[in-house]
Amino acid sequence: MTQKTNVAILVDSCSDVPEEFIKAHHLFMVPMTITYHDKIYLDKVTITPEEVYANLDQEVPKTASPTGDLISKAFATIKAEGYTDVIAICISSGLSGTFQQVQLAARVSGLEASVIDTKNIGIASGFSAILAAQLSEEGLQRGEIVARVQTVAKRTKVFFYVPTLTYLQKGGRIGRVAGMAGALLNIKPIISCDDNGIYYPVAKVRGEKKTLQKLLQLVKQQVGTAQQFNLAVADGANSKIAAQIKQQLETDYPKVGKIYSGNVSPALGVHTGLGLIGVGIQILDD
């Protein structure tokens, strides 16, 4: 356990901060909800990605932002642990109502709170929480942390490919990717978030092998000449390919600060389906 920090960091489950980092750095997390016809689950708490994927052919559940009650309880826990300040990191307001929900709860939390809309999803949002936690541990104050995190968030990107657009379409999270036909042509889209935090197609490639090659090219373009950067590999029950991609990144970028890896959250898995591969890039250069 790291030493007590000045500023608590709260993050939502779809920001995909690795569980080991959350535990080691004492982050607080609010889970999304996943609703089936007969039961409600808490993202990453009472359901796993594998359980979601196993049932997708029978039922595509509904997902929703963390409830106001769960968010309020998280703020109450933070306050009870003696914190006066909190920074909440949220996935894009263009993809979820989480940012607005957390903002509402923050106003009546009794804490000095800042809520950041990362305009991103998955680990690309999680990178902001990781950075905020590290800066808090260095002793920076809330305003300084927020300024730095918001600057770096604009230079943070995720590229991900999904074998099918079916689940994004069913979940209504398709954004500017709508209308991309191609299942019959074996076209695999690579998707990212634009400046407004909305999904958009970056590339359309035929076949998985070429798609992964294109994914690595996009990472190279994003890293550019950066000297300080972190990377992350996320997957939707596609651990073999994810391990290969991570190994390739380790070879290609010996200067990388850290390469994180892990599953996308169950709530994200509802919308992406089985097989997702994503790479996040966080540029730290000033």
Side-chain angles (χ1 to χ4, degrees):
M1 180 68 70
T2 54
Q3 68 179 51
K4 183 67 180 286
T5 58
N6 296 317
V7 183
I9 309 301
L10 176 67
V11 68
D12 63 67
S13 60
C14 279
S15 290
D16 282 346
V17 177
E19 186 178 351
E20 60 270 21
F21 188 95
I22 287 177
K23 288 180 179 177
H25 298 267
H26 196 51
L27 273 66
F28 299 84
M29 186 192 77
V30 285
M32 304 286 177
T33 58
I34 300 174
T35 304
Y36 287 87
H37 72 280
D38 60 347
K39 195 167 183 181
I40 297 175
Y41 295 90
L42 298 180
D43 193 36
K44 289 187 175 179
V45 178
T46 57
I47 193 168
T48 66
E50 289 75 18
E51 288 170 322
V52 166
Y53 300 135
N55 291 295
L56 274 180
D57 55 344
Q58 284 98 39
E59 182 181 1
V60 179
K62 303 291 185 185
T63 62
S65 305
T67 64
D69 185 49
L70 282 174
I71 298 168
S72 295
K73 283 181 179 177
F75 279 126
T77 300
I78 289 167
K79 193 172 181 181
E81 290 196 14
Y83 290 95
T84 57
D85 289 54
V86 58
I87 296 171
I89 307 291
C90 301
I91 61 168
S92 173
S93 61
L95 297 171
S96 167
T98 304
F99 171 70
Q100 289 85 352
Q101 287 279 86
V102 174
Q103 267 194 326
L104 288 171
R107 288 176 190 146
V108 295
S109 66
L111 292 159
E112 294 295 325
S114 298
V115 186
I116 296 177
D117 177 0
T118 63
K119 304 288 188 185
N120 235 315
I121 192 77
I123 188 59
S125 178
F127 269 141
S128 289
I130 290 169
L131 177 60
Q134 291 167 337
L135 295 175
S136 180
E137 288 168 9
E138 290 173 16
L140 274 68
Q141 299 304 304
R142 181 168 53 91
E144 298 172 300
I145 297 170
V146 169
R148 174 65 174 157
V149 168
Q150 287 179 326
T151 296
V152 174
K154 292 174 183 174
R155 301 196 298 264
T156 301
K157 198 85 172 168
V158 65
F159 299 107
F160 63 92
Y161 114 82
V162 289
T164 174
L165 290 173
T166 300
Y167 300 104
L168 280 172
Q169 289 170 326
K170 285 183 178 179
R173 300 302 202 278
I174 199 73
R176 286 163 51 198
V177 187
M180 274 184 68
L184 296 176
L185 301 173
N186 197 24
I187 288 175
K188 309 293 185 183
I190 298 176
I191 300 167
S192 189
C193 292
D194 64 17
D195 291 342
N196 295 313
I198 304 293
Y199 289 145
Y200 76 105
V202 182
K204 293 180 283 185
V205 188
R206 188 163 293 166
E208 183 178 78
K209 186 176 179 181
K210 288 182 179 178
T211 302
L212 294 174
Q213 289 172 348
K214 180 64 176 178
L215 188 67
L216 291 170
Q217 287 175 14
L218 291 165
V219 173
K220 185 176 182 179
Q221 290 171 14
Q222 187 70 19
V223 171
T225 58
Q227 296 300 302
Q228 291 181 288
F229 59 95
N230 294 314
L231 299 171
V233 181
D235 73 281
N238 200 352
S239 57
K240 183 179 177 182
I241 298 295
Q244 292 171 3
I245 294 292
K246 186 179 181 185
Q247 187 174 33
Q248 187 64 52
L249 294 174
E250 288 168 348
T251 301
D252 292 346
Y253 304 101
K255 287 184 178 180
V256 67
K258 177 86 175 176
I259 303 181
Y260 298 94
S261 61
N263 293 330
V264 298
S265 73
L268 284 181
V270 168
H271 297 291
T272 59
L274 197 64
L276 171 144
I277 291 289
V279 179
I281 307 102
Q282 180 188 46
I283 307 296
L284 296 167
D285 289 11
D286 290 321

